Amino acid sequence: MFQRVRRRAAVVAAGALTLSLVACGSGDDSEAEDLSANRAGAMSELGVDQQFKATEPVSFSVLYNNHPNYPLKNDWLFWTELNKRTNVTLEPVAVPLSDYEQKRSLLIGAGDAPFIIPKTYPSQEDVFVSSGAILPVSDYLDLMPNFKDKIAKWNLAPEINQRRQADGKFYLLPGVHEKPWHDYSLVVRTDILEELNLQVPKTWDDVYTMLKAMKAKYPNTIPFSDRYSQPNPAGNLLNLLAASYGMEGAGWNFQHISWDPTGKKLFYTGASEQHRQMLTYLNKLVKEGLLDPESFTQTDDTARQKLANGKSFVISGNAQGLVNDYRPDLAKTLPNAKLTKIPLPIGPAGEINPAPRLENGIMISKKARDSKNFVAMMQFIDWLFYSDSGQEFARWGVEGTTFTKDASGKHSLAADVNVIGLNPKAPKHLQKDFGFYNGVFTYGGKPELVQAFFSPEEQEFQKVMNARTPRAVAPPYPFTDEEREQVSLWQTPLKDFVYQATLQFILGQRDLAQWDAYLAELKGKNMDAYMDKVNEAYERYQKEHG
């Protein structure tokens, strides 16, 4: 769920943190608004982790991202049990996963959007804010005690503030995590490490040393051959390295703007010294035959075949890729091989966990505000998406049917239920047959909940990553509608040029001695004007909202 994080939020001093929490509430105009005509079905008051149940039957429309791995079924236990517990009937407007973003835009633009619009990623709401089609949800936080409680308990105000628009309000209710959850890293043939008497690499310099040793022992191989190059070349590898070098994102999470927490300034990622150092590192790997140049163009299947055939020993991936792709591939060709997803190697930015604590979330259609059931709907959303019990229900299902719980509170899947290969021979599937652990409704939570279906191996990986310092989050710099229209004309040409030059520098098609010429070309593509707009927006927000 974290692959498409658009921006990150800011490190704020303790005093500012308190103010920002107040801002979360001060943007809340629900007290000033007369909601007396919108309380049909609402509880008189909803407490933290109190079971929400509408006082009369109510129904709400929801845009439903129909995932091909678990296609929508109307008879899922999720729907019936949800109705039993809350007196709410959800009316899904199903849209195929492949067309979700386009159909969402069409529905909203036509005024036909459902009330509840999940699976929206940060900054995707911007266009709908300017059109007035979605609700400033920060105005209604007093209707959402569970959301407010988690923001306060988990000190999430800086991240929440980063989502605010130029008017100081935010329009997307994000999934919230107590701890960062980082998934992607390098997957390494540890049997080769044992053969070479090498330890698991801890830093990117150690990775270089490891690859050199692999190449020396097996000169006919290129030790590292990567996947994830469509649609962005080396999308995952560049993203991992960007975080390790102190940038917001590259590859599939390309970010124009990064934050320097030491100098307390915003900078253009693709023009930074950090970016140059990252390209220098990758160029060295390619030049010395340690990183396959085809990594930047080849299909995932080709990269997997090279790993399975012993032509490479290292690839990037996540927990599911390790279990579902790489290990089965190798079991067919090299059954004695051993693969491990290693903790993210440490780079110049230090021992950090780069994952955000906010994920994609929910927009509310502006027309929902006029519904007689509006207050009940906000209470329902607060319970399902942000209460401990609602999050447990969405992920685990029904105790005694899909899971059991021991005296200590530890959850276990029912013996006849499978998910992510935990009970591979079980006849029923938590997602396909029951509708739980569904990406439309399963967002965030405490680590023990988020990691509930992780293998012991993956939980050890997360333990290492959670011990690291969360990455500093950048301050907000929201554009006005006019500014957004202007910078949008600059962003695509800048991004395309940075992508092109990045590959040229890495592959040696352009000498890194031409770095100054590259910077001059960026300026010619309005980089300085873009940065001026970014800094103006940043300073304006600081002045107006603190």
Side-chain angles (χ1 to χ4, degrees):
M1 294 181 182
F2 285 95
Q3 293 181 12
R4 301 180 55 194
V5 177
R6 298 290 202 270
R7 297 187 306 224
R8 301 181 192 262
V11 174
V12 193
L17 183 59
T18 303
L19 287 173
S20 58
L21 271 173
V22 173
C24 257
S26 66
D28 179 351
D29 295 332
S30 57
E31 292 182 14
E33 289 189 49
D34 181 7
L35 294 170
S36 58
N38 309 94
R39 300 194 64 91
M43 296 174 63
S44 58
E45 187 175 350
L46 179 67
V48 173
D49 213 33
Q50 178 185 0
Q51 175 64 54
F52 167 79
K53 188 159 190 176
T55 58
E56 61 185 59
V58 293
S59 61
F60 306 123
S61 56
V62 57
L63 192 62
Y64 185 86
N65 189 342
N66 201 2
H67 201 294
N69 288 354
Y70 42 95
L72 174 66
K73 293 181 180 178
N74 293 325
D75 62 351
W76 274 340
L77 179 60
F78 175 85
W79 306 118
T80 54
E81 183 68 21
L82 185 69
N83 178 263
K84 177 181 174 183
R85 296 188 186 197
T86 66
N87 217 6
V88 170
T89 299
L90 286 178
E91 301 171 348
V93 177
V95 174
L97 171 67
S98 58
D99 296 330
Y100 188 75
E101 291 181 20
Q102 181 182 12
K103 292 289 178 63
R104 179 182 62 200
S105 294
L106 290 173
L107 286 168
I108 294 175
D112 295 329
F115 281 6
I116 303 171
I117 311 170
K119 297 302 289 183
T120 301
Y121 288 83
S123 82
Q124 288 183 343
E125 79 273 23
D126 292 352
V127 63
F128 307 121
V129 171
S130 58
S131 71
I134 60 173
L135 206 62
V137 288
S138 56
D139 283 353
Y140 302 97
L141 298 188
D142 279 350
L143 304 177
M144 305 187 70
N146 291 288
F147 180 78
K148 289 179 69 174
D149 179 63
K150 283 183 165 50
I151 301 306
K153 282 196 308 189
W154 296 347
N155 297 317
L156 282 163
E159 285 95 328
I160 293 293
N161 278 348
Q162 202 278 337
R163 299 287 178 88
R164 294 181 186 272
Q165 299 287 331
D167 60 6
K169 301 180 180 185
F170 61 90
Y171 292 72
L172 180 66
L173 287 168
V176 296
H177 290 252
E178 182 179 6
K179 299 284 187 183
W181 167 35
H182 183 81
D183 191 6
Y184 286 82
S185 188
L186 298 184
V187 175
V188 176
R189 281 274 303 273
T190 48
D191 59 306
I192 302 294
L193 293 187
E194 292 170 4
E195 178 187 347
L196 299 175
N197 198 28
L198 293 173
Q199 299 295 314
V200 169
K202 292 185 177 180
T203 68
W204 286 103
D205 287 341
D206 292 342
V207 170
Y208 169 74
T209 301
M210 172 190 73
L211 296 174
K212 287 279 284 185
M214 289 174 167
K215 181 72 172 179
K217 177 68 175 179
Y218 296 97
N220 294 326
T221 67
I222 301 180
F224 187 1
S225 189
D226 208 17
R227 63 184 291 191
Y228 303 122
S229 284
Q230 279 88 31
N232 303 322
N236 186 40
L237 177 59
L238 287 171
N239 202 49
L240 295 177
L241 277 160
S244 300
Y245 276 79
M247 296 176 285
E248 291 296 316
W252 63 26
N253 184 34
F254 177 84
Q255 299 292 311
H256 288 280
I257 307 301
S258 291
W259 171 246
D260 173 9
T262 303
K264 297 195 179 305
K265 64 180 181 180
L266 298 160
F267 61 89
Y268 192 78
T269 304
S272 64
E273 174 61 17
Q274 294 95 315
H275 189 66
R276 189 189 68 81
Q277 290 176 6
M278 178 183 76
L279 300 185
T280 301
Y281 177 82
L282 288 170
N283 174 256
K284 178 172 70 171
L285 297 188
V286 171
K287 189 183 300 182
E288 297 184 20
L290 308 179
L291 173 61
D292 187 355
E294 294 182 1
S295 296
F296 300 88
T297 55
Q298 67 190 359
T299 65
D300 285 5
D301 285 346
T302 300
R304 287 172 56 182
Q305 287 169 10
K306 288 178 180 178
L307 183 71
N309 294 331
K311 294 182 178 180
S312 68
F313 306 130
V314 180
I315 193 170
S316 71
N318 63 358
Q320 290 197 47
L322 173 65
V323 174
N324 297 334
D325 296 341
Y326 306 149
R327 283 179 175 159
D329 289 348
L330 276 167
K332 299 172 186 175
T333 55
L334 299 166
N336 294 323
K338 293 192 290 186
L339 279 173
T340 299
K341 186 181 77 164
I342 68 172
L344 180 65
I346 300 164
E351 204 163 338
I352 59 166
N353 187 330
R357 293 195 295 160
L358 303 186
E359 59 173 305
N360 67 83
I362 307 153
M363 296 187 294
I364 306 297
S365 173
K366 187 74 174 288
K367 65 185 180 183
R369 170 62 183 79
D370 298 325
S371 166
K372 67 177 182 177
N373 303 125
F374 173 68
V375 173
M377 186 189 76
M378 296 303 289
Q379 290 178 338
F380 166 76
I381 290 171
D382 184 58
W383 174 79
L384 179 60
F385 290 94
Y386 298 107
S387 74
D388 289 349
S389 54
Q391 290 176 339
E392 178 191 72
F393 169 75
R395 189 173 299 263
W396 280 98
V398 179
E399 186 173 2
T401 302
T402 58
F403 77 97
T404 58
K405 195 187 298 186
D406 65 19
S408 68
K410 182 181 178 182
H411 296 61
S412 299
L413 273 178
D416 61 345
V417 177
N418 180 38
V419 73
I420 317 182
L422 292 179
N423 289 332
K425 296 182 180 180
K428 302 172 186 175
H429 195 277
L430 187 66
Q431 295 167 309
K432 298 175 184 178
D433 297 315
F434 295 100
F436 297 105
Y437 196 34
N438 185 323
V440 177
F441 304 111
T442 306
Y443 291 84
K446 300 174 181 176
E448 54 268 32
L449 180 72
V450 174
Q451 300 174 18
F453 301 138
F454 290 1
S455 67
E457 176 185 23
E458 178 62 16
Q459 291 186 15
E460 283 300 312
F461 174 91
Q462 293 299 329
K463 187 183 297 184
V464 173
M465 294 304 300
N466 282 337
R468 298 182 180 181
T469 304
R471 180 165 67 170
V473 280
Y477 48 94
F479 296 122
T480 63
D481 290 347
E482 294 77 14
E483 288 169 338
R484 187 179 294 114
E485 185 176 351
Q486 176 60 69
V487 301
S488 68
L489 299 176
W490 298 330
Q491 286 174 325
T492 299
L494 281 167
K495 179 179 179 179
D496 290 347
F497 179 66
V498 171
Y499 266 24
Q500 179 187 39
T502 292
L503 289 182
Q504 289 173 339
F505 283 130
I506 292 171
L507 297 176
Q509 298 164 354
R510 185 171 186 177
D511 197 302
L512 280 157
Q514 298 181 25
W515 183 256
D516 288 344
Y518 158 73
L519 296 181
E521 292 169 70
L522 278 175
K523 291 176 185 291
K525 296 184 181 299
N526 298 298
M527 178 185 70
D528 288 346
Y530 178 43
M531 283 304 304
D532 287 343
K533 291 293 184 187
V534 167
N535 284 314
E536 286 171 20
Y538 166 64
E539 290 166 7
R540 180 180 61 242
Y541 188 91
Q542 293 297 313
K543 182 178 179 181
E544 294 178 359
H545 304 291

